[in-house]
Amino acid sequence: MTPFALPHGLHGSGPHKVIAVHGWFADRSAFDALLPDLDQDAFQYALVDLRGYGAAKGAVGAYTTQEAAADVLALADRLGWDRFSLIGHSMGGSVIQRVVAAAPHRVRRLAGVSPVPASGLPMPPEQWELFTSAEHDPDSRRAILDITTGGSRPAAWLDRMVRRSLACSDPKAFRAWLDSWAREGFHTEIEGSSAPALVVTGALDPALNADLARQTWMQWHTDAKLVELPSAGHYSMDETPLELIRTVEDFLREDDAGRADDGNGQAEGAGRGGGPGAAG
């Protein structure tokens, strides 16, 4: 497994370094709606394209979350970032947990946005068939987008998201990534992690929701917080960008300010409970 020079864009000049990893349906443009309103004085964000996406669309690889974690660490080395925080959306949530497993001493904080848990995401046969068919079928991609946003988004938005997904991803890589994030479990490698963790879920997302986060992330990370955005589905970067920025950046700022009360009554506090339930 050879680390790859991940294409990336740097935004901001702040002292707190953050690497953001996109999900299954998009490249780094997944974060475009956030860029105008990020605090670029406090933070410097590196937004990456994973192998098979965006500027790395033609990159050869195994297309696994473990490989991606090695690529992220190699990028941090090239940037000279000894310690950094991580943001991961969906599949990217699995990638950033792999980084924690590989190099826990380098991670300041991690924020998963509708994140895939480290246990993977088992699916019933009919759902698996829908997801595997999305490799080549735009209608399958559209159905997944519609389902995971509660059937509440405009048709034009769904169509635009499908077009972006098709344009920015290599079909072969897209299919291989599914096998990795959905079927590979490594939660035993992160159980007991002390890196402060935030999980942001959308109330309209039927699958990667707050209940699943409570059974997985909140069990495995000893210092974890859960925030559910009531008006978001799976794509809060597009659906509720301002709420997402406020939630994530307030969490990142706690690294210097100490733990602060949330004040809005939506955050659930930390600690481990009983054993995690099955994801799915």
Side-chain angles (χ1 to χ4, degrees):
M1 181 167 54
T2 303
F4 170 68
L6 288 177
H8 62 281
L10 291 177
H11 302 271
S13 57
H16 191 148
K17 310 304 183 183
V18 185
I19 299 176
V21 185
H22 62 80
W24 190 43
F25 263 48
D27 59 1
R28 65 181 125 152
S29 68
F31 300 103
D32 279 357
L34 307 181
L35 294 180
D37 301 305
L38 294 174
D39 185 345
Q40 299 192 25
D41 294 322
F43 306 103
Q44 184 175 38
Y45 291 92
L47 311 183
V48 306
D49 285 335
L50 297 176
R51 301 189 199 212
Y53 290 90
K57 191 173 177 181
V60 174
Y63 311 116
T64 65
T65 58
Q66 185 174 20
E67 179 183 69
D71 290 342
V72 166
L73 287 167
L75 173 62
D77 290 341
R78 285 192 295 275
L79 293 172
W81 296 0
D82 182 53
R83 296 190 73 238
F84 48 88
S85 292
L86 294 160
I87 299 171
H89 173 245
S90 193
M91 175 179 80
S94 182
V95 172
I96 66 173
Q97 290 175 95
R98 286 280 197 185
V99 176
V100 172
H105 58 288
R106 300 190 64 177
V107 178
R108 292 176 66 169
R109 291 182 164 250
L110 70 158
V113 180
S114 300
V116 172
S119 54
L121 194 68
M123 302 179 196
E126 63 277 9
Q127 185 179 1
W128 183 252
E129 182 178 352
L130 173 64
F131 275 62
T132 56
S133 67
E135 175 184 354
H136 293 295
D137 187 351
D139 289 339
S140 293
R141 297 197 190 201
R142 193 181 193 279
I144 292 168
L145 286 160
D146 195 24
I147 292 167
T148 58
T149 52
S152 62
R153 300 308 174 208
W157 182 84
L158 295 171
D159 293 339
R160 176 169 60 84
M161 293 287 280
V162 170
R163 288 194 300 270
R164 182 180 72 177
S165 178
L166 292 169
C168 77
S169 62
D170 172 77
K172 179 182 176 182
F174 184 84
R175 177 63 184 83
W177 277 110
L178 174 62
D179 284 334
S180 181
W181 65 257
R183 291 189 160 179
E184 294 175 0
F186 59 95
H187 67 273
T188 57
E189 299 177 37
I190 61 162
E191 278 188 289
S193 169
S194 60
L198 169 70
V199 187
V200 183
T201 61
L204 304 181
D205 186 346
L208 291 166
N209 54 27
D211 286 342
L212 181 61
R214 292 185 189 100
Q215 297 169 17
T216 55
W217 276 65
M218 298 297 288
Q219 301 296 321
W220 303 327
H221 298 272
T222 62
D223 184 3
K225 177 186 292 187
L226 169 62
V227 175
E228 182 179 65
L229 301 179
S231 299
H234 190 65
Y235 297 90
S236 55
M237 298 92 66
D238 294 278
E239 298 171 89
T240 56
L242 297 181
E243 289 88 344
L244 180 62
I245 290 171
R246 182 62 188 268
T247 300
V248 172
E249 289 195 334
D250 281 358
F251 167 74
L252 295 176
R253 287 190 183 93
E254 290 178 11
D255 193 67
D256 297 317
R259 297 297 297 220
D261 289 335
D262 180 73
N264 61 18
Q266 292 185 345
E268 297 185 18
R272 298 173 65 189

